């Protein structure tokens, strides 16, 4: 915000005179996560789920951000989660959408990474998120085989029904 202040001088304890007039503006970075941190719920092994968060720069200058690779307890979350983009610049008074992908490769009852920090240059308070999910096996009843036969160069159409029971 803009400001203007006069520096006054008192002469002989009575007369006041302006010594200097000082004007200027203060600029800063203020980045916050907008909205809620979405939950991943249960995700089938070897598939993925993508959720988005939004970072907003309420400040007057561009904000440079970078996500840490490790959660606060020094555990590397990248085996289960990918954050994209990992680093970048948010223009003043604008948003950036961050994609977070949960991509489990093994069955795990509870995947939990707390206090993953996004550091903002020239800003004292990093963005702090926690990621939770559950990696489940593909249910046996969901695995079916469909045999398709046709003669060479003869088109055939088959109907295959796929049921999505995920949350």
């Amino acid at each position: 915000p803009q400001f203007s202040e006069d520096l006054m001088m008192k002469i002989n304890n009575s007369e006041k005179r302006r010594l200097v007039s000082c004007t200027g503006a203060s600029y800063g970075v203020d980045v916050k996560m907008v909205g809620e941190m979405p939950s991943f719920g249960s995700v089938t092994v070897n598939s993925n789920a993508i959720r988005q968060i939004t970072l907003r720069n309420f400040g007057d200058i561009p904000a440079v951000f970078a996500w840490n690779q490790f959660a606060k307890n020094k555990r590397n979350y990248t085996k289960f989660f990918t954050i994209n983009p990992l680093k970048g610049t948010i223009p003043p008074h604008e948003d950036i959408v961050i994609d977070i992908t949960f991509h489990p490769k093994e069955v795990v009852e509870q995947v939990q990474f707390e206090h993953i920090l996004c550091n903002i240059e020239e800003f004292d308070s990093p963005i702090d998120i926690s990621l939770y999910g559950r990696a489940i096996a593909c249910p046996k009843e969901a695995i079916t085989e469909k045999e398709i036969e046709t003669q060479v160069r003869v088109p055939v159409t088959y109907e295959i029904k796929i049921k999505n029971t995920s949350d």
Side-chain angles (χ1 to χ4, degrees):
Q2 300 280 340
F3 67 89
S4 179
E5 286 292 325
D6 292 330
L7 180 60
M8 305 299 286
M9 176 174 78
K10 201 181 237 187
I11 301 171
N12 293 333
N13 268 344
S14 61
E15 184 184 347
K16 284 185 179 180
R17 287 195 184 167
R18 180 174 45 214
L19 185 62
V20 175
S21 184
C22 183
T23 60
S26 62
Y27 298 101
V29 173
D30 184 15
V31 177
K32 291 182 175 50
M33 185 172 78
V34 179
E36 297 293 315
M37 183 66 217
S39 172
F40 284 94
S42 296
V43 175
T44 304
V45 170
N46 295 320
S47 67
N48 66 61
I50 299 172
R51 303 289 185 264
Q52 295 181 325
I53 62 171
T54 300
L55 299 182
R56 179 170 295 154
N57 182 0
F58 290 94
D60 305 308
I61 59 175
V64 177
F65 69 92
W67 290 93
N68 290 351
Q69 184 176 354
F70 296 93
K72 196 171 187 177
N73 61 1
K74 308 287 190 230
R75 290 179 54 220
N76 187 333
Y77 62 85
T78 60
K79 178 179 177 183
F80 291 96
F81 296 96
T82 301
I83 298 176
N84 188 38
L86 271 175
K87 57 185 175 177
T89 303
I90 310 169
H93 309 288
E94 290 195 22
D95 297 345
I96 187 166
V97 174
I98 306 290
D99 289 329
I100 303 174
T101 306
F102 179 34
H103 46 77
K105 302 293 182 217
E106 61 191 58
V107 174
V108 179
E109 183 63 31
Q110 177 78 20
V111 179
Q112 179 176 332
F113 291 91
E114 295 181 333
H115 304 295
I116 298 169
L117 301 180
C118 179
N119 294 309
I120 314 293
E121 284 184 16
E122 306 297 323
F123 193 53
D124 295 335
S125 303
I127 304 296
D128 182 338
I129 65 170
S130 294
L131 302 175
Y132 303 96
R134 183 172 173 231
I136 61 170
C138 186
K140 290 193 186 321
E141 63 272 7
I143 301 172
T144 60
E145 290 186 24
K146 182 81 173 176
E147 199 171 301
I148 299 174
E149 292 183 21
T150 184
Q151 294 180 7
V152 177
R153 294 185 186 86
V154 176
V156 175
T157 303
Y158 287 93
E159 185 175 312
I160 300 174
K161 294 188 181 200
I162 300 173
K163 185 177 179 182
N164 184 358
T165 59
S166 67
D167 48 20

